[in-house]
Amino acid sequence: MDININKKNTEKQSNPSNDISDGGSSSCQIEIHGPLKKEIKFFKEELEKEKDKFLRLFAEFENYKKRIQKERFDIFRNIHEQILIDLVPILDDFERGIKELKKYKEEHLVKGVFLIQEKLIKILKEKGLNKIKIKKGDDFNTDFHEAITQIPAVTENLKGKIIEIIEAGYILKEKVIRHAKVITGK
């Protein structure tokens, strides 16, 4: 490496007896020759490559964080959905239990179980679970209903209609998680 450095008053600065400058300004000039220019250019290119590599790595890490966050959200959503699906049979049990308790005419007992059922339904509705609204005589819709059997229709207008509801269906945030089990007329 060959560097020429020209400074004014270099002798005064190197001489310890001259601590005070003569009031003139000193300037530093560096002349860069061929091999040094190539080396500087090489290091600038290397710096740009490393900078690019760092930015790509940083972007990749940000994408990784977003992907992990999305996967985590999906896992919690799936667990939430599965818990609600698992609670649907309990709603069926409550309905059957209340029907049986009404046979014994124990009003306080029926009222207590009914209040528990209503509380559970309220909580599940807050979480996005809703019962599919159907009644006898509605049109059969494969999007919401599952025909477990067909029986001959008593009248012509009951053909292709729901004659009996065996089990209620449920929707979780616009997704059918259990089709209503029905008997249709043929």
Side-chain angles (χ1 to χ4, degrees):
M1 260 198 296
D2 188 16
I3 300 176
N4 287 336
I5 300 176
N6 295 326
K7 286 188 177 181
K8 292 182 180 179
N9 302 322
T10 54
E11 292 177 271
K12 289 181 183 177
Q13 290 175 358
S14 62
N15 188 350
S17 62
N18 292 334
D19 288 338
I20 301 173
S21 66
D22 60 357
S25 65
S26 66
S27 64
C28 177
Q29 293 180 347
I30 300 176
E31 289 182 28
I32 303 172
H33 296 289
L36 190 56
K37 281 186 180 180
K38 289 180 184 176
E39 200 169 330
I40 290 174
K41 184 179 177 184
F42 171 77
F43 284 125
K44 282 184 179 179
E45 289 172 357
E46 286 296 311
L47 179 64
E48 285 301 316
K49 286 180 187 175
E50 292 299 319
K51 192 186 218 182
D52 184 55
K53 197 187 305 182
F54 169 75
L55 290 175
R56 289 178 188 274
L57 188 62
F58 183 75
E60 190 177 313
F61 180 68
E62 287 297 314
N63 290 338
Y64 169 78
K65 284 183 3 184
K66 288 177 186 174
R67 187 176 66 246
I68 292 299
Q69 186 175 7
K70 183 188 178 301
E71 287 174 1
R72 193 173 181 201
F73 175 76
D74 289 343
I75 287 170
F76 282 119
R77 188 184 70 228
N78 290 339
I79 289 171
H80 174 259
E81 184 177 309
Q82 190 58 48
I83 289 171
L84 293 177
I85 290 170
D86 291 343
L87 289 175
V88 167
I90 295 172
L91 292 175
D92 297 333
D93 293 342
F94 267 110
E95 287 181 20
R96 285 190 290 272
I98 289 173
K99 277 183 186 177
E100 287 299 313
L101 287 174
K102 285 181 179 179
K103 291 178 183 176
Y104 298 107
K105 299 185 187 314
E106 292 287 332
E107 287 298 318
H108 296 296
L109 192 58
V110 172
K111 188 175 181 180
V113 173
F114 182 74
L115 289 174
I116 296 169
Q117 178 192 27
E118 288 300 311
K119 188 174 185 178
L120 179 62
I121 290 171
K122 180 183 173 211
I123 291 169
L124 295 176
K125 277 186 179 182
E126 289 172 359
K127 303 300 180 201
L129 184 73
N130 289 303
K131 196 175 204 177
I132 295 175
K133 293 179 173 86
I134 56 170
K135 61 184 184 303
K136 293 178 183 179
D138 285 351
D139 288 330
F140 177 74
N141 183 346
T142 56
D143 292 337
F144 301 107
H145 311 130
E146 177 185 340
I148 56 171
T149 190
Q150 288 184 328
I151 59 172
V154 180
T155 61
E156 193 66 31
N157 63 344
L158 288 178
K159 285 187 178 181
K161 306 267 184 184
I162 297 172
I163 294 178
E164 188 71 37
I165 302 164
I166 304 301
E167 194 173 65
Y170 290 91
I171 296 175
L172 178 61
K173 296 181 182 175
E174 300 168 15
K175 177 182 174 188
V176 176
I177 60 169
R178 187 175 85 182
H179 290 81
K181 290 183 175 72
V182 298
I183 297 174
T184 59
K186 66 174 179 175

